[in-house]
Amino acid sequence: MIESGDGKGSKPSSYERIVLKNASEYYYLKIHLEFEEVGISLNAFEFKQLIISALKQLHGEVGAALPVDVLSYEEKNLFAILRVPITGLVKLWSALTLLDTYQNRKCAFRVIQTSPFLLALAGNSRELVLD
Amino acid sequence: MAGFVDLNIPHLPEKESLQKLVASAAHLGYSTVAINYVIDYEEKKKEVVKPISPSELFTSLPMVQGKSKPIKILSRLTLVVSDPSHCNILRARSTNIKFYDIFAVFPKNGKLFHVACTTLDVDLVCINVTEKLPFYIKRPSVNVAMDRGIYFELVYVPAIKDSTMRRYTISNALSLMQICRGKNIVLSSAAEKPLQLRGPYDVANLGWLFGLSESNAKAAVSTNGRAVLLHGEARKTAFGVVYTMKKPRTPDEDDSTPATKKVKMAL
């Protein structure tokens, strides 16, 4: 719909409708690494190594070649945001699910949120109470 | 949408660790869990114990994440059968057996798998994931089971613990999926520690490794679990119409016993 302007000088504003399908080529995951004992710290490099070794355990060399990026990593509470191409989401997610040890210590990855848009990770849809 | 269901929380002798396990399941977002009691005839553990009641376990039930409702705790009995005579316990209505909500069987050979799918009065058939499948899963028995509303259970924690078991889990799951095409599958944990539990969305994603489609994988942790519960309920009361009447109760009465039930059989 195009509105006609009332004033003589104002140009009629135009509208454009764009539909994007699968606009995002990446998926973002917000994850948390949980340990049995407290006080275990990893630096960002060790964290990335752990993710790559998890991928290698489940999907082999091809899985380890998946371009995973750690966008943000909080060392003190082990929260991180990962970015992965859409085709590799299931591979990365299943590899994280099936990981259970880091240097002979029991651990677990908790996937808190996943979204194709980084902005969506600002709020948590899983803890949203509707009623 | 049906809430997420985990039908296999093993019954641990220590109350404290069982509490922790149920609490972490609630934290991860499961709205219903079933505590599993295993009876193994080879280990001579034959007596059916009375299941622990939720009020005995918790003074106040843990809240489910994102639901602001308390978690629902059920009981489930699993029979490990290697001989057809072991199933008599299901027919003989012994004293403690009526307390269980769900019955499951773990068939050890192909003949018993067929019997479990076609004639036994159970809700779940467990598929072995810790070793190579000792028999072929045949299409006729699976088709009958699907018609009767019996579900197949796959356990995922052995896949987390050990890499050889992970191979067996995936290969057994894939051979099952070839026959049942992703229908009538329930994914559950059998986790002994809170750290071995995974969130429901993670488990649904794991279903992809087992050859499930996206929608079937989600159903395997939510709606299928609910269907098993309803199947168990129908078996307990009547196969037809169930009519319940609410009766005002005194506060000192035990909460775990159901309200007075009037059962009417339909055709």
Side-chain angles (χ1 to χ4, degrees):
Chain A
M1 283 200 294
I2 294 171
E3 267 178 49
S4 56
D6 318 63
K8 280 179 188 168
S10 65
K11 269 193 288 179
S13 50
S14 67
Y15 292 89
E16 199 176 0
R17 186 180 136 113
I18 302 169
V19 179
L20 299 172
K21 287 184 178 161
N22 297 333
S24 172
E25 35 180 319
Y26 291 106
Y27 240 89
Y28 299 89
L29 292 100
K30 193 175 183 183
I31 59 171
H32 174 219
L33 183 58
E34 212 172 278
F35 278 101
E36 218 164 24
E37 314 101 271
V38 283
I40 294 169
S41 68
L42 300 79
N43 59 33
F45 182 73
E46 288 167 324
F47 190 77
K48 180 79 192 279
Q49 281 289 310
L50 179 62
I51 291 168
I52 290 175
S53 74
L55 277 164
K56 200 167 179 175
Q57 254 182 50
L58 189 65
H59 299 288
E61 294 287 347
V62 180
L66 199 71
V68 182
D69 304 312
V70 181
L71 296 190
S72 84
Y73 172 61
E74 288 170 44
E75 206 170 318
K76 54 181 189 296
N77 50 12
L78 300 169
F79 274 87
I81 293 178
L82 307 183
R83 182 179 68 177
V84 69
I86 277 188
T87 48
L89 172 73
V90 179
K91 276 188 198 139
L92 175 67
W93 198 347
S94 53
L96 293 179
T97 312
L98 290 180
L99 186 83
D100 77 326
T101 49
Y102 169 69
Q103 293 181 349
N104 296 324
R105 294 190 198 98
K106 293 270 172 234
C107 67
F109 270 112
R110 304 281 185 226
V111 178
I112 298 162
Q113 287 179 77
T114 58
S115 169
F117 304 105
L118 196 51
L119 186 63
L121 299 188
N124 192 344
S125 58
R126 291 192 191 176
E127 287 190 336
L128 203 65
V129 179
L130 287 172
D131 45 25
Chain B
M1 194 196 80
F4 291 112
V5 178
D6 189 349
L7 289 180
N8 194 344
I9 299 282
H11 176 246
L12 305 169
E14 307 95 43
K15 214 161 137 187
E16 219 172 276
S17 41
L18 190 59
Q19 273 172 347
K20 266 188 200 157
L21 207 56
V22 173
S24 80
H27 178 72
L28 286 170
Y30 290 103
S31 47
T32 310
V33 292
I35 295 173
N36 186 16
Y37 298 75
V38 182
I39 293 186
D40 198 337
Y41 281 89
E42 278 161 12
E43 288 170 14
K44 297 257 192 311
K45 197 178 152 192
K46 288 188 185 176
E47 71 280 9
V48 180
V49 291
K50 201 178 165 186
I52 194 165
S53 83
S55 56
E56 208 178 306
L57 199 61
F58 287 103
T59 46
S60 66
L61 287 169
M63 286 293 168
V64 181
Q65 179 213 45
K67 279 276 165 76
S68 66
K69 271 189 280 186
I71 194 168
K72 207 168 140 195
I73 302 174
L74 303 160
S75 56
R76 157 190 162 167
L77 187 71
T78 306
L79 290 173
V80 183
V81 290
S82 47
D83 189 87
S85 67
H86 293 164
C87 308
N88 288 341
I89 193 166
L90 289 175
R91 296 191 190 101
R93 294 260 160 195
S94 77
T95 47
N96 280 330
I97 209 154
K98 61 172 181 287
F99 296 111
Y100 289 93
D101 297 303
I102 303 166
F103 291 157
V105 283
F106 194 117
K108 285 278 185 193
N109 56 49
K111 209 174 159 192
L112 273 162
F113 181 79
H114 184 75
V115 170
C117 286
T118 50
T119 54
L120 275 187
D121 204 5
V122 291
D123 311 309
L124 270 178
V125 176
C126 305
I127 305 292
N128 194 351
V129 295
T130 52
E131 57 192 38
K132 197 171 178 297
L133 215 56
F135 52 87
Y136 283 112
I137 296 174
K138 291 200 184 88
R139 200 176 287 266
S141 32
V142 170
N143 283 347
V144 174
M146 276 157 73
D147 285 342
R148 294 175 70 216
I150 290 173
Y151 284 73
F152 298 98
E153 185 195 46
L154 279 169
V155 167
Y156 67 83
V157 161
I160 293 174
K161 280 198 286 201
D162 189 276
S163 74
T164 39
M165 283 189 194
R166 183 180 298 177
R167 281 206 299 274
Y168 290 133
T169 308
I170 294 173
S171 76
N172 291 0
L174 286 175
S175 66
L176 175 68
M177 294 315 161
Q178 232 171 23
I179 305 298
C180 72
R181 297 187 210 92
K183 284 180 208 137
N184 287 40
I185 300 286
V186 173
L187 289 170
S188 56
S189 67
E192 281 153 358
K193 288 181 196 149
L195 224 54
Q196 290 172 347
L197 272 172
R198 293 294 184 265
Y201 294 99
D202 300 8
V203 179
N205 179 71
L206 208 58
W208 180 82
L209 281 190
F210 301 153
L212 288 166
S213 73
E214 214 170 318
S215 58
N216 282 333
K218 185 133 184 247
V221 281
S222 57
T223 42
N224 289 0
R226 194 180 122 83
V228 171
L229 296 183
L230 295 177
H231 189 267
E233 214 139 278
R235 180 179 38 71
K236 252 166 83 178
T237 50
F239 286 98
V241 179
V242 180
Y243 177 70
T244 64
M245 243 167 78
K246 222 170 197 165
K247 191 178 89 178
R249 265 182 291 177
T250 49
D252 54 286
E253 235 179 306
D254 188 10
D255 254 307
S256 61
T257 55
T260 321
K261 273 183 189 161
K262 257 191 190 173
V263 180
K264 280 185 186 171
M265 289 286 285
L267 287 178

